[in-house]
Protein backbone atom coordinates (compact mmCIF):
# COMPACT_ATOMS: atom_id res chain seq x y z
CA UNK A 1 0.00 0.00 0.00
CA UNK A 2 1.13 3.54 -0.68
CA UNK A 3 2.28 5.48 2.34
CA UNK A 4 1.30 9.01 3.40
CA UNK A 5 3.05 11.73 1.39
CA UNK A 6 4.53 13.64 4.34
CA UNK A 7 7.60 13.71 6.57
CA UNK A 8 7.72 11.42 9.62
CA UNK A 9 6.85 14.12 12.16
CA UNK A 10 4.23 15.93 10.13
CA UNK A 11 6.55 18.82 9.25
CA UNK A 12 7.67 19.81 5.78
CA UNK A 13 11.15 18.67 4.85
CA UNK A 14 13.74 21.35 5.39
CA UNK A 15 15.54 22.73 2.37
CA UNK A 16 18.98 21.17 2.13
CA UNK A 17 21.70 23.76 2.52
CA UNK A 18 24.79 23.68 0.37
CA UNK A 19 28.00 23.43 2.37
CA UNK A 20 30.28 26.39 1.75
CA UNK A 21 33.75 26.45 3.27
CA UNK A 22 34.32 29.85 4.85
CA UNK A 23 37.56 31.72 4.33
CA UNK A 24 39.40 32.03 7.60
CA UNK A 25 41.91 34.63 8.56
CA UNK A 26 45.03 33.00 9.96
CA UNK A 27 46.77 35.13 12.57
CA UNK A 28 50.27 33.75 12.14
CA UNK A 29 51.98 35.95 14.74
CA UNK A 30 49.47 34.98 17.40
CA UNK A 31 49.72 31.30 16.45
CA UNK A 32 53.52 31.30 16.59
CA UNK A 33 53.50 33.05 19.98
CA UNK A 34 51.11 30.45 21.40
CA UNK A 35 53.24 27.60 20.02
CA UNK A 36 56.41 29.05 21.60
CA UNK A 37 54.50 29.35 24.89
CA UNK A 38 53.89 25.58 24.70
CA UNK A 39 50.20 25.39 23.80
CA UNK A 40 49.47 21.88 22.52
CA UNK A 41 46.23 23.06 20.92
CA UNK A 42 47.99 25.72 18.85
CA UNK A 43 50.83 23.32 18.03
CA UNK A 44 48.25 20.92 16.55
CA UNK A 45 46.71 23.80 14.57
CA UNK A 46 50.15 24.80 13.29
CA UNK A 47 50.89 21.24 12.10
CA UNK A 48 47.51 21.07 10.35
CA UNK A 49 48.40 24.32 8.60
CA UNK A 50 51.74 22.87 7.44
CA UNK A 51 50.09 19.70 6.13
CA UNK A 52 47.47 21.63 4.15
CA UNK A 53 47.82 21.61 0.35
CA UNK A 54 45.98 24.88 -0.38
CA UNK A 55 48.09 27.78 -1.67
CA UNK A 56 46.93 30.15 1.10
CA UNK A 57 47.76 27.66 3.87
CA UNK A 58 51.13 26.80 2.32
CA UNK A 59 52.20 30.45 2.39
CA UNK A 60 50.89 30.88 5.95
CA UNK A 61 52.65 27.70 7.08
CA UNK A 62 56.02 28.90 5.75
CA UNK A 63 55.59 32.24 7.51
CA UNK A 64 54.80 30.36 10.72
CA UNK A 65 57.99 28.32 10.35
CA UNK A 66 60.01 31.46 9.73
CA UNK A 67 58.62 33.02 12.93
CA UNK A 68 59.57 30.07 15.15
CA UNK A 69 62.87 29.13 13.45
CA UNK A 70 65.09 30.80 16.11
CA UNK A 71 63.49 28.54 18.76
CA UNK A 72 64.24 25.27 16.92
CA UNK A 73 67.13 22.80 16.97
CA UNK A 74 67.28 22.17 20.73
CA UNK A 75 65.95 18.62 20.83
CA UNK A 76 67.29 15.10 20.44
CA UNK A 77 65.68 13.70 17.30
CA UNK A 78 65.21 9.94 17.51
CA UNK A 79 63.96 7.78 14.64
CA UNK A 80 62.40 4.43 15.58
CA UNK A 81 61.75 1.70 13.05
CA UNK A 82 61.20 -2.05 13.00
CA UNK A 83 59.21 -4.75 11.32
CA UNK A 84 55.42 -4.61 11.82
CA UNK A 85 54.66 -6.32 15.13
CA UNK A 86 57.98 -5.44 16.75
CA UNK A 87 56.09 -3.36 19.31
CA UNK A 88 57.11 0.15 18.22
CA UNK A 89 54.05 1.85 19.71
CA UNK A 90 54.35 -0.11 22.97
CA UNK A 91 58.03 0.78 23.24
CA UNK A 92 57.42 4.45 22.46
CA UNK A 93 54.70 4.72 25.11
CA UNK A 94 56.86 3.10 27.81
CA UNK A 95 59.99 5.05 26.76
CA UNK A 96 58.06 8.32 26.39
CA UNK A 97 56.39 7.93 29.80
CA UNK A 98 59.76 7.34 31.47
CA UNK A 99 61.15 10.53 29.91
CA UNK A 100 57.99 12.58 30.54
CA UNK A 101 57.91 11.55 34.21
CA UNK A 102 61.56 12.59 34.47
CA UNK A 103 60.64 16.12 33.35
CA UNK A 104 61.39 15.91 29.62
CA UNK A 105 58.88 17.18 27.06
CA UNK A 106 58.30 14.40 24.54
CA UNK A 107 56.80 14.80 21.07
CA UNK A 108 55.83 11.69 19.12
CA UNK A 109 55.35 11.92 15.36
CA UNK A 110 53.68 8.66 14.46
CA UNK A 111 53.45 7.91 10.75
CA UNK A 112 50.67 5.56 9.61
CA UNK A 113 50.68 3.83 6.22
CA UNK A 114 48.22 5.25 3.70
CA UNK A 115 46.04 2.95 1.61
CA UNK A 116 47.16 2.71 -2.01
CA UNK A 117 43.51 2.13 -2.94
CA UNK A 118 41.62 4.86 -1.07
CA UNK A 119 44.50 7.03 0.15
CA UNK A 120 43.07 6.84 3.66
CA UNK A 121 44.91 6.13 6.91
CA UNK A 122 43.73 4.80 10.29
CA UNK A 123 45.81 7.19 12.45
CA UNK A 124 45.23 5.06 15.54
CA UNK A 125 48.48 5.64 17.39
CA UNK A 126 46.93 7.93 19.99
CA UNK A 127 44.57 5.08 20.89
CA UNK A 128 47.50 2.67 21.25
CA UNK A 129 49.47 5.19 23.37
CA UNK A 130 46.54 6.10 25.59
CA UNK A 131 48.51 6.75 28.80
CA UNK A 132 51.23 8.78 27.08
CA UNK A 133 48.62 10.82 25.17
CA UNK A 134 47.17 12.02 28.50
CA UNK A 135 50.52 13.04 29.98
CA UNK A 136 50.93 16.86 30.21
CA UNK A 137 54.57 16.61 29.05
CA UNK A 138 53.74 14.65 25.91
CA UNK A 139 52.35 15.47 22.48
CA UNK A 140 51.38 12.79 19.94
CA UNK A 141 50.67 13.61 16.32
CA UNK A 142 49.65 10.82 13.90
CA UNK A 143 50.13 11.64 10.20
CA UNK A 144 49.55 9.61 7.02
CA UNK A 145 52.58 8.55 4.99
CA UNK A 146 50.66 9.60 1.85
CA UNK A 147 52.76 7.28 -0.27
CA UNK A 148 56.09 8.83 0.72
CA UNK A 149 59.03 6.42 0.51
CA UNK A 150 60.70 5.72 3.83
CA UNK A 151 57.55 5.68 5.94
CA UNK A 152 57.48 9.38 6.76
CA UNK A 153 55.16 12.22 5.88
CA UNK A 154 56.43 14.89 3.49
CA UNK A 155 55.97 17.49 6.21
CA UNK A 156 57.61 15.47 9.01
CA UNK A 157 60.71 17.70 9.06
CA UNK A 158 58.66 20.89 9.36
CA UNK A 159 56.43 19.31 12.00
CA UNK A 160 59.56 18.42 13.96
CA UNK A 161 60.70 22.06 13.91
CA UNK A 162 57.34 23.24 15.26
CA UNK A 163 57.56 20.70 18.11
CA UNK A 164 61.04 21.97 18.99
CA UNK A 165 59.76 25.56 19.00
CA UNK A 166 57.05 24.46 21.45
CA UNK A 167 59.74 23.33 23.89
CA UNK A 168 59.82 19.58 23.24
CA UNK A 169 63.39 18.44 23.91
CA UNK A 170 62.87 14.83 22.76
CA UNK A 171 61.25 14.14 19.39
CA UNK A 172 60.42 10.51 18.57
CA UNK A 173 59.57 9.65 14.97
CA UNK A 174 57.84 6.30 14.57
CA UNK A 175 57.89 5.03 10.99
CA UNK A 176 55.53 2.56 9.37
CA UNK A 177 58.24 -0.11 9.38
CA UNK A 178 58.69 -0.54 5.66
CA UNK A 179 62.10 -2.19 5.69
CA UNK A 180 65.04 -1.08 3.62
CA UNK A 181 63.62 2.28 2.47
CA UNK A 182 64.34 3.90 5.84
CA UNK A 183 67.14 6.10 4.47
CA UNK A 184 64.64 8.99 4.49
CA UNK A 185 64.25 8.70 8.26
CA UNK A 186 68.01 8.36 8.79
CA UNK A 187 68.37 11.65 6.93
CA UNK A 188 66.25 13.62 9.40
CA UNK A 189 67.17 12.34 12.88
CA UNK A 190 70.21 12.38 15.16
CA UNK A 191 69.86 8.86 16.55
CA UNK A 192 68.33 6.01 14.56
CA UNK A 193 66.98 3.03 16.49
CA UNK A 194 66.02 -0.37 15.11
CA UNK A 195 63.57 -2.58 17.02
CA UNK A 196 63.96 -6.32 16.40
CA UNK A 197 62.33 -9.45 17.75
CA UNK A 198 63.61 -12.85 18.83
CA UNK A 199 62.28 -16.09 17.45
CA UNK A 200 61.50 -14.62 14.04
CA UNK A 201 63.49 -17.39 12.39
CA UNK A 202 66.28 -15.16 11.06
CA UNK A 203 67.67 -13.27 14.04
CA UNK A 204 71.10 -12.49 12.65
CA UNK A 205 69.83 -11.09 9.41
CA UNK A 206 67.23 -9.00 11.21
CA UNK A 207 65.91 -6.48 8.73
CA UNK A 208 68.79 -7.12 6.30
CA UNK A 209 72.25 -5.63 6.30
CA UNK A 210 71.15 -2.38 4.60
CA UNK A 211 68.91 -1.21 7.42
CA UNK A 212 71.31 -2.41 10.13
CA UNK A 213 74.08 -0.23 8.72
CA UNK A 214 71.83 2.80 9.27
CA UNK A 215 71.10 2.05 12.93
CA UNK A 216 72.93 3.71 15.84
CA UNK A 217 71.31 1.30 18.28
CA UNK A 218 69.45 -2.01 18.09
CA UNK A 219 66.77 -2.82 20.66
CA UNK A 220 65.84 -6.47 21.07
CA UNK A 221 62.25 -5.95 22.18
CA UNK A 222 59.86 -8.06 24.26
CA UNK A 223 62.73 -9.38 26.41
CA UNK A 224 60.55 -10.76 29.19
CA UNK A 225 59.01 -13.97 30.46
CA UNK A 226 59.90 -17.11 28.54
CA UNK A 227 61.47 -14.95 25.85
CA UNK A 228 64.10 -13.38 28.14
CA UNK A 229 66.78 -16.05 27.71
CA UNK A 230 66.41 -16.06 23.93
CA UNK A 231 66.45 -12.23 23.87
CA UNK A 232 69.78 -12.11 25.72
CA UNK A 233 71.20 -14.64 23.27
CA UNK A 234 69.98 -12.50 20.35
CA UNK A 235 71.61 -9.41 21.89
CA UNK A 236 74.96 -11.22 22.00
CA UNK A 237 74.58 -12.34 18.40
CA UNK A 238 73.83 -8.81 17.21
CA UNK A 239 76.82 -7.41 19.11
CA UNK A 240 79.09 -9.91 17.39
CA UNK A 241 77.60 -9.14 14.00
CA UNK A 242 77.82 -5.34 14.42
CA UNK A 243 81.63 -5.56 14.65
CA UNK A 244 81.70 -6.52 10.97
CA UNK A 245 79.47 -3.64 9.80
CA UNK A 246 80.47 -0.08 9.07
CA UNK A 247 79.16 2.18 11.87
CA UNK A 248 76.27 4.48 10.99
CA UNK A 249 77.92 7.42 12.79
CA UNK A 250 81.68 8.17 12.74
CA UNK A 251 83.36 7.38 16.04
CA UNK A 252 80.39 5.45 17.41
CA UNK A 253 80.03 1.69 17.88
CA UNK A 254 76.46 0.53 17.39
CA UNK A 255 75.30 -1.61 20.28
CA UNK A 256 72.40 -3.93 21.04
CA UNK A 257 70.24 -3.85 24.19
CA UNK A 258 67.43 -6.06 25.55
CA UNK A 259 64.25 -4.15 26.46
CA UNK A 260 60.87 -5.08 27.89
CA UNK A 261 58.22 -2.36 27.63
CA UNK A 262 55.80 -4.45 29.69
CA UNK A 263 58.25 -4.88 32.59
CA UNK A 264 59.87 -1.44 31.99
CA UNK A 265 63.33 -2.99 31.94
CA UNK A 266 66.17 -1.71 29.78
CA UNK A 267 64.52 1.65 29.00
CA UNK A 268 66.95 3.61 31.19
CA UNK A 269 69.87 1.87 29.48
CA UNK A 270 68.55 2.98 26.09
CA UNK A 271 68.28 6.61 27.24
CA UNK A 272 71.78 6.60 28.73
CA UNK A 273 73.12 5.16 25.48
CA UNK A 274 71.44 7.98 23.54
CA UNK A 275 72.90 10.62 25.88
CA UNK A 276 76.37 9.08 25.51
CA UNK A 277 75.90 9.09 21.74
CA UNK A 278 74.94 12.77 21.79
CA UNK A 279 77.97 13.71 23.87
CA UNK A 280 80.31 11.67 21.66
CA UNK A 281 78.93 13.25 18.47
CA UNK A 282 79.12 16.78 19.89
CA UNK A 283 82.71 16.28 21.04
CA UNK A 284 83.72 15.10 17.57
CA UNK A 285 81.64 17.88 15.92
CA UNK A 286 79.67 15.30 13.95
CA UNK A 287 76.37 16.38 15.53
CA UNK A 288 76.22 19.85 13.98
CA UNK A 289 77.77 18.69 10.71
CA UNK A 290 75.13 16.00 10.30
CA UNK A 291 72.30 18.46 10.88
CA UNK A 292 73.72 20.83 8.28
CA UNK A 293 73.99 17.99 5.77
CA UNK A 294 70.39 16.98 6.52
CA UNK A 295 69.20 20.54 5.84
CA UNK A 296 70.99 20.54 2.46
CA UNK A 297 69.50 17.14 1.57
CA UNK A 298 66.05 18.40 2.57
CA UNK A 299 66.53 21.45 0.32
CA UNK A 300 67.49 19.29 -2.68
CA UNK A 301 64.62 16.89 -2.02
CA UNK A 302 62.16 19.77 -2.07
CA UNK A 303 63.67 21.04 -5.34
CA UNK A 304 62.90 17.64 -6.90
CA UNK A 305 59.32 17.73 -5.57
CA UNK A 306 58.79 21.26 -6.88
CA UNK A 307 60.18 20.36 -10.32
CA UNK A 308 57.74 17.46 -10.61
CA UNK A 309 54.79 19.64 -9.54
CA UNK A 310 55.83 22.41 -11.94
CA UNK A 311 56.23 19.96 -14.81
CA UNK A 312 52.73 18.53 -14.49
CA UNK A 313 51.26 22.00 -13.94
CA UNK A 314 52.28 23.04 -17.48
CA UNK A 315 49.28 23.32 -19.85
CA UNK A 316 48.73 20.17 -21.87
CA UNK A 317 51.33 18.05 -20.04
CA UNK A 318 48.86 15.67 -18.42
CA UNK A 319 47.12 15.14 -21.76
CA UNK A 320 50.47 14.51 -23.47
CA UNK A 321 51.46 11.99 -20.78
CA UNK A 322 48.15 10.15 -21.24
CA UNK A 323 48.66 9.98 -25.03
CA UNK A 324 52.20 8.65 -24.63
CA UNK A 325 51.01 6.04 -22.14
CA UNK A 326 48.48 4.87 -24.71
CA UNK A 327 51.22 4.56 -27.34
CA UNK A 328 53.35 2.62 -24.85
CA UNK A 329 50.58 0.12 -24.14
CA UNK A 330 49.93 -0.33 -27.86
CA UNK A 331 53.60 -1.16 -28.38
CA UNK A 332 54.33 1.83 -30.63
CA UNK A 333 56.94 3.36 -28.32
CA UNK A 334 59.59 2.33 -25.85
CA UNK A 335 59.58 3.86 -22.37
CA UNK A 336 62.82 5.76 -23.06
CA UNK A 337 61.44 7.01 -26.39
CA UNK A 338 58.26 8.23 -24.69
CA UNK A 339 60.23 10.13 -22.06
CA UNK A 340 62.46 11.68 -24.75
CA UNK A 341 59.40 12.83 -26.67
CA UNK A 342 57.93 14.32 -23.50
CA UNK A 343 60.96 16.55 -23.05
CA UNK A 344 61.44 17.59 -26.68
Amino acid sequence: MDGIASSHDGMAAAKRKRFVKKDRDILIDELSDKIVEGSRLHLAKGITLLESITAQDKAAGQQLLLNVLPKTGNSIRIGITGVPGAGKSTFIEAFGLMLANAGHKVAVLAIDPSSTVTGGSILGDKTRMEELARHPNAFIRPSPSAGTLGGVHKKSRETMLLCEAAGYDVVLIETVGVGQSETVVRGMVDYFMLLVLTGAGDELQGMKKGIMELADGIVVHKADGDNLRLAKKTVREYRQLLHFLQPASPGWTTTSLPVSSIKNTGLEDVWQTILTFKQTMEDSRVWEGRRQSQTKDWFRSMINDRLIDTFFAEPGKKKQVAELEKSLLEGNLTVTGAVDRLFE
Side-chain angles (χ1 to χ4, degrees), residues 316-330 332-333 338 341-342:
K317 277 298 179 190
K318 289 184 179 178
K319 183 180 178 182
Q320 187 184 3
V321 168
E323 290 171 352
L324 289 170
E325 283 176 346
K326 185 180 178 183
S327 297
L328 276 172
L329 296 176
E330 291 172 351
N332 299 326
L333 269 177
R341 191 170 295 184
L342 196 60

Side-chain angles (χ1 to χ4, degrees), residues 10-302:
M11 297 177 66
K15 186 178 178 181
R16 187 171 182 178
K17 295 181 180 179
R18 181 172 171 268
F19 173 75
V20 179
K21 189 176 180 180
K22 294 182 180 179
D23 292 331
R24 66 189 192 282
D25 293 326
I26 304 169
L27 302 175
I28 296 302
D29 290 341
E30 181 184 339
L31 183 59
S32 56
D33 288 344
K34 292 289 186 182
I35 289 173
V36 172
E37 289 171 10
S39 169
R40 289 194 291 184
L41 173 63
H42 290 85
L43 175 57
K45 287 182 177 180
I47 295 172
T48 301
L49 189 64
L50 287 177
E51 292 181 348
S52 174
I53 59 173
T54 66
Q56 179 191 359
D57 288 351
K58 279 184 178 180
Q62 293 310 304
Q63 184 57 51
L64 174 64
L65 268 182
L66 204 58
N67 286 2
V68 302
L69 211 53
K71 301 288 185 181
T72 62
N74 298 317
S75 76
I76 299 179
R77 304 166 182 173
I78 304 169
I80 300 174
T81 190
V83 292
K88 293 187 293 295
S89 296
T90 307
F91 171 81
I92 288 172
E93 179 169 47
F95 189 58
L97 279 171
M98 181 195 75
L99 295 175
N101 289 330
H104 293 281
K105 290 190 70 178
V106 182
V108 179
L109 308 183
I111 315 298
D112 266 8
S114 295
S115 167
T116 55
V117 179
T118 64
S121 194
I122 297 173
L123 303 178
D125 291 273
K126 272 195 172 183
T127 306
R128 290 188 290 176
M129 303 179 198
E130 189 176 353
E131 195 175 347
L132 183 61
R134 293 197 302 265
H135 200 288
N137 283 350
F139 174 80
I140 301 175
R141 176 72 181 205
S143 296
S145 65
T148 307
L149 184 68
V152 295
H153 189 273
K154 284 183 178 180
K155 297 292 184 179
S156 292
R157 288 181 174 92
E158 295 179 351
T159 301
M160 189 165 55
L161 293 177
L162 275 194
C163 291
E164 290 177 347
Y168 291 90
D169 59 329
V170 180
V171 179
L172 306 176
I173 301 177
E174 179 199 359
T175 75
V176 297
V178 289
Q180 293 179 355
S181 56
E182 301 290 8
T183 51
V184 181
V185 188
R186 169 75 271 184
M188 58 189 288
V189 297
D190 305 312
Y191 186 89
F192 191 49
M193 186 189 305
L194 171 63
L195 257 66
V196 298
L197 291 171
T198 60
D202 198 7
E203 287 86 352
L204 277 180
Q205 201 171 0
M207 286 177 68
K208 309 292 184 182
K209 180 183 174 185
I211 184 66
M212 287 179 62
E213 286 182 328
L214 299 177
D216 295 306
I218 295 178
V219 168
V220 179
H221 200 213
K222 303 182 181 180
D224 48 53
D226 296 336
N227 204 37
L228 180 58
R229 184 186 60 81
L230 186 57
K232 289 182 176 179
K233 177 175 177 287
T234 306
V235 167
R236 291 193 300 270
E237 289 174 345
Y238 270 112
R239 286 177 179 172
Q240 292 171 0
L241 180 65
L242 288 166
H243 284 296
F244 299 101
L245 299 181
Q246 184 176 345
S249 301
W252 175 257
T253 302
T254 304
T255 188
S256 178
L257 295 166
V259 171
S260 169
S261 298
I262 302 299
K263 301 286 187 181
N264 288 326
T265 57
L267 297 172
E268 188 63 43
D269 293 336
V270 172
W271 179 237
Q272 288 303 320
T273 301
I274 293 172
L275 291 180
T276 305
F277 170 84
K278 182 176 186 289
Q279 188 63 52
T280 303
M281 294 299 102
E282 285 180 338
D283 291 344
S284 60
R285 308 185 77 172
V286 172
W287 186 271
E288 189 59 34
R290 172 175 277 171
R291 288 202 171 183
Q292 290 175 352
S293 297
Q294 290 174 354
T295 302
K296 287 192 288 186
D297 291 342
W298 178 16
F299 173 57
R300 288 170 185 168
S301 172
M302 290 200 70

